[in-house]
Amino acid sequence: AQSVTQLDSQVPVFEEAPVELRCNYSSSVSVYLFWYVQYPNQGLQLLLKYLSGSTLVKGINGFEAEFNKSQTSFHLRKPSVHISDTAEYFCAVSNQAGTALIFGKGTTLSVSS
Amino acid sequence: DTAVSQTPKYLVTQMGNDKSIKCEQNLGHDTMYWYKQDSKKFLKIMFSYNNKELIINETVPNRFSPKSPDKAHLNLHINSLELGDSAVYFCASSQDRGGLRLETQYFGPGTRLLVL
């Protein structure tokens, strides 16, 4: 069965520093991978997704992620974060039937000045 | 122009009560979902409907019953509420493409349920 592990529950960084949020997945079939962001008291918003093709995926707000099949990873990166990036970030993988998302437990990104 | 809306936004109720949460999407999507987010922010699929047909029914107690009167609505009714039902419930929708629902899911703002 598919599963997702987000290796860091909390990541504190200073403004304008680079950040990497780590995500590893487990799957016996081809996967589709997603990163969602949840701002305080809001619903989730898609940052980026990998379905096929180039392993480097660019998303909104300057985020990007790299699909690494050999390491079963899909880490999220941003070269320079802003205070407004403070949020909860969720990595997700499609289930085997491709009908739903399986989410990781989330990583809290806290950006301070 | 809210894409996915939920009502109510907050719901505080006593154990044993029955309550409903409504969800509407104006995106013309074929598929709608209910997710539960617990106090540790863990998000898990509960139900999925495609064109009013139940597609996914995870291991959710029978007290939870989704109802889809039409493609744009997916309501969640909960009977005999328990303390453990306290959570944030998110509705979402996506466009179905040939049976693969891998397209972007659009989430509502959530309904914060507190059972006392």
Side-chain angles (χ1 to χ4, degrees), chain A residues 36 38 41 46 90 98-99, chain B residues 37 41 90 101 104-105 112:
Chain A
Y36 278 82
Q38 183 180 25
N41 297 316
L46 182 71
F90 292 94
T99 54
Chain B
Q37 186 175 45
K41 297 197 175 180
F90 286 101
R101 298 175 190 94
T104 301
Q105 292 189 15
R112 286 147 185 81

Side-chain angles (χ1 to χ4, degrees), chain B residues 46-65:
Chain B
M46 297 175 70
F47 302 103
S48 170
Y49 268 75
N50 176 257
N51 283 317
K52 301 195 301 175
E53 179 185 347
L54 182 64
I55 301 298
I56 292 175
N57 184 354
E58 291 295 310
T59 51
V60 176
N62 291 337
R63 300 182 293 102
F64 290 80
S65 54

Side-chain angles (χ1 to χ4, degrees), chain A residues 32 34 36 38 40-46 49 51 88 90 94-95 97-106 108, chain B residues 9-10 33 35 37 40-45 48 55-56 90 99-110 112:
Chain A
Y32 304 95
F34 305 78
Y36 278 82
Q38 183 180 25
N41 297 316
Q42 293 186 28
L44 279 73
Q45 178 184 3
L46 182 71
K49 61 185 176 184
L51 302 184
E88 193 78 19
F90 292 94
S94 58
N95 67 353
T99 54
L101 296 177
I102 299 167
F103 284 89
K105 294 191 175 183
T108 303
Chain B
K9 191 171 183 180
Y10 298 95
Y33 312 80
Y35 287 89
Q37 186 175 45
K40 295 183 179 179
K41 297 197 175 180
F42 183 53
L43 200 65
K44 188 172 180 182
I45 183 80
S48 170
I55 301 298
I56 292 175
F90 286 101
L100 293 179
R101 298 175 190 94
L102 304 172
E103 294 299 318
T104 301
Q105 292 189 15
Y106 292 82
F107 283 76
R112 286 147 185 81

Side-chain angles (χ1 to χ4, degrees), chain B residues 76-87:
Chain B
L76 183 65
H77 188 75
I78 315 171
N79 289 327
S80 303
L81 278 156
E82 299 178 357
L83 295 178
D85 297 332
S86 295

Side-chain angles (χ1 to χ4, degrees), chain A residues 27-111:
Chain A
S27 175
S28 57
V29 297
S30 297
V31 293
Y32 304 95
L33 294 155
F34 305 78
W35 275 100
Y36 278 82
V37 61
Q38 183 180 25
Y39 297 106
N41 297 316
Q42 293 186 28
L44 279 73
Q45 178 184 3
L46 182 71
L47 273 179
L48 47 80
K49 61 185 176 184
Y50 172 79
L51 302 184
S52 64
S54 173
T55 57
L56 183 62
V57 181
K58 293 191 182 297
I60 62 171
N61 300 340
F63 284 93
E64 63 180 33
E66 184 153 20
F67 171 61
N68 188 320
K69 188 174 180 179
S70 62
Q71 297 186 5
T72 61
S73 67
F74 190 56
H75 300 334
L76 181 71
R77 301 185 184 98
K78 186 169 182 177
S80 176
V81 294
H82 303 291
I83 298 283
S84 59
D85 292 323
T86 295
E88 193 78 19
Y89 291 79
F90 292 94
C91 183
V93 63
S94 58
N95 67 353
Q96 193 162 352
T99 54
L101 296 177
I102 299 167
F103 284 89
K105 294 191 175 183
T107 297
T108 303
L109 175 63
S110 300
V111 182

